Amino acid sequence: MSSSLTLPSISLKILPSTRPESFRASNSFSFSASRNGARCFSHRSRVFMSLSVGSKTAVDDALFSDYKPTSAFLFPGQGAQAVGMGQEAQNVPSAAVLFKKANDILGFDLLDICINGPKDKLDSTVISQPAIYVTSLAAVELLRARDGGQQIIDSVDVTCGLSLGEYTALAFAGAFSFEDGLKLVKLRGEAMQEAADAAKSAMVSVIGLDSEKVQQLCDAANQEVPDAEKVQIANYLCPGNYAVSGGIKGVEVVEAKAKSFKARMTVRLAVAGAFHTSFMEPAVSRLEAALAATEIRTPRIPVISNVDAQPHADPETIKKILACQVTSPVQWETTVKTLLGKGLKKSYELGPGKVIAGIVKRVDKGAEIENIGA
């Protein structure tokens, strides 16, 4: 099987940009080939696509472009994991069975690691990603089992997830099965770990600056390090909290210069490497091959992409976006602002931790969000 996807012909209709100024030109997202054949898109304008594969017309990718959210499910990403997660899920059969299925697919006892640790093992990329995926979907089952839970689930009309959480959101929206999603997440974690092992890199959160200032900090750091050590904003999380990824030396320079840019603090992140940058490029071809072999359907509700903060309906487009998601900055701040701006009334964070709730509250203190753990 080829490790790269065959791209269908594409027609584009470009509409005027609706992006905030924090969407920098350096994050342009257009269909452009990288050295391994992965293709990404442009943040600079809304792109609506109709794709044709041979003589067969695919799903209109703009199907959800005018979505009007009222109730959202938000799923956490790597970093939300904590020893003890999954324990509550064992009290609900439909949730407990997900861990049993996971054990068969993964080939190890995921539940035991979730509940008992050790923490360093749970924190590893290859364990934490499937652990969070399974626990988050188990949280959906816990909600379903409580009074009024099914009514809440039925009311959800948009979903999204932070980085890894995008896979959880797609599974909830029916784009692929629980099992296929877990296989993809397993491979994603392994591929990202291998990419991190291939070149020393790191991530650091910069606290207390707006995105323009963080970009200036990155630019200043990049003037002092070679190309292989350069840094970029990898996660646009919320006002005052942006994660920077890159080479070890570049990250160290960011940390050293942060105070002079009036940052409140920096926090080195406990991750394997520079996620959502070109350092993850070696992972893309493996993801492309796995996605090409996976049946992906049009989601039943909009799923907002981390890459361009837009919902996509065409399965082939979703595959391409997921492949380049690991090398593209996460546009979570824009996603949350867009949802709230479109009239979102209530959100639910499903899975371990309360990271998402904290981010949403940083965007809008008055936002209503409830955590459903497992």
Side-chain angles (χ1 to χ4, degrees), residues 32 65 111 118 123 136 192 206 250-252 263 297 366 369-370:
S32 59
S65 61
L111 180 63
D123 285 348
S136 297
M192 291 174 73
V206 180
V251 167
E252 289 174 348
R297 300 172 289 275
I369 182 165
E370 178 182 346

Side-chain angles (χ1 to χ4, degrees), residues 20-101:
E21 289 186 5
S22 61
F23 254 56
R24 295 179 55 84
S26 61
N27 292 332
S28 68
F29 182 69
S30 58
F31 267 114
S32 59
S34 67
R35 60 184 169 82
N36 64 2
R39 299 198 174 223
C40 291
F41 312 76
S42 174
H43 295 308
R44 299 167 80 177
S45 50
R46 295 175 68 194
V47 181
F48 291 83
M49 292 168 246
S50 61
L51 298 116
S52 59
V53 183
S55 61
K56 181 181 177 182
T57 301
V59 175
D60 180 7
D61 195 54
L63 181 65
F64 299 123
S65 61
D66 294 323
Y67 74 101
K68 294 175 175 58
T70 59
S71 179
F73 272 7
L74 311 179
F75 295 99
Q78 189 172 347
Q81 71 276 359
V83 174
M85 60 192 267
Q87 180 71 64
E88 191 179 351
Q90 302 316 298
N91 299 321
V92 176
S94 60
V97 74
L98 297 181
F99 284 92
K100 293 177 181 176
K101 290 180 179 179

Side-chain angles (χ1 to χ4, degrees), residues 217 220-222 224-225 248-258:
L217 173 58
N222 287 339
E224 299 186 14
V225 296
I248 297 288
K249 289 181 181 177
V251 167
E252 289 174 348
V253 175
V254 166
E255 292 169 331
K257 288 181 172 293

Side-chain angles (χ1 to χ4, degrees), residues 89-90 92-106 110-111 130 133-142 144 178-179 182:
Q90 302 316 298
V92 176
S94 60
V97 74
L98 297 181
F99 284 92
K100 293 177 181 176
K101 290 180 179 179
N103 291 350
D104 292 338
I105 292 169
L106 299 171
L110 179 67
L111 180 63
Y133 172 86
V134 175
T135 304
S136 297
L137 290 173
V140 175
E141 296 307 313
L142 263 70
R144 196 190 309 276
F178 167 80
E179 292 85 354
L182 181 56

Side-chain angles (χ1 to χ4, degrees), residues 77-81 85 110 121-134 164 185:
Q78 189 172 347
Q81 71 276 359
M85 60 192 267
L110 179 67
K121 188 171 184 179
L122 178 61
D123 285 348
S124 68
T125 298
V126 295
I127 302 293
S128 63
Q129 292 200 21
I132 293 166
Y133 172 86
V134 175
L164 156 73
V185 167

Side-chain angles (χ1 to χ4, degrees), residues 101-287:
K101 290 180 179 179
N103 291 350
D104 292 338
I105 292 169
L106 299 171
F108 59 84
D109 192 338
L110 179 67
L111 180 63
D112 179 64
I113 299 172
C114 286
I115 294 177
N116 301 311
K119 182 181 183 300
D120 59 344
K121 188 171 184 179
L122 178 61
D123 285 348
S124 68
T125 298
V126 295
I127 302 293
S128 63
Q129 292 200 21
I132 293 166
Y133 172 86
V134 175
T135 304
S136 297
L137 290 173
V140 175
E141 296 307 313
L142 263 70
L143 175 60
R144 196 190 309 276
R146 84 182 195 189
D147 288 345
Q150 186 62 56
Q151 184 177 354
I152 292 172
I153 292 170
D154 292 341
S155 73
V156 172
D157 49 21
V158 66
T159 184
C160 52
L162 181 61
S163 188
L164 156 73
E166 187 170 340
Y167 287 77
T168 320
L170 285 163
F172 170 73
F176 43 66
S177 68
F178 167 80
E179 292 85 354
D180 283 348
L182 181 56
K183 291 173 185 175
L184 287 171
V185 167
K186 176 179 183 290
L187 180 138
R188 181 181 187 267
E190 292 168 350
M192 291 174 73
Q193 182 64 59
E194 288 178 10
D197 292 342
K200 291 189 179 299
S201 58
M203 294 184 73
V204 60
S205 282
V206 180
I207 310 298
L209 297 179
D210 63 29
S211 59
E212 293 293 327
K213 278 288 187 183
V214 176
Q215 185 59 51
Q216 291 172 18
L217 173 58
C218 290
D219 293 343
N222 287 339
Q223 291 177 3
E224 299 186 14
V225 296
D227 286 348
E229 297 285 344
K230 287 188 175 182
V231 296
Q232 69 178 70
I233 301 177
N235 287 352
Y236 291 82
L237 292 174
C238 60
N241 188 349
Y242 302 97
V244 171
S245 285
I248 297 288
K249 289 181 181 177
V251 167
E252 289 174 348
V253 175
V254 166
E255 292 169 331
K257 288 181 172 293
K259 287 292 185 183
S260 66
F261 278 79
K262 310 300 183 185
R264 186 158 61 86
M265 62 188 297
T266 60
V267 179
R268 185 75 70 96
L269 301 180
V271 295
F275 296 164
H276 300 290
T277 71
S278 59
F279 279 87
M280 292 293 108
E281 192 97 356
V284 175
S285 60
R286 286 189 63 188
L287 272 170

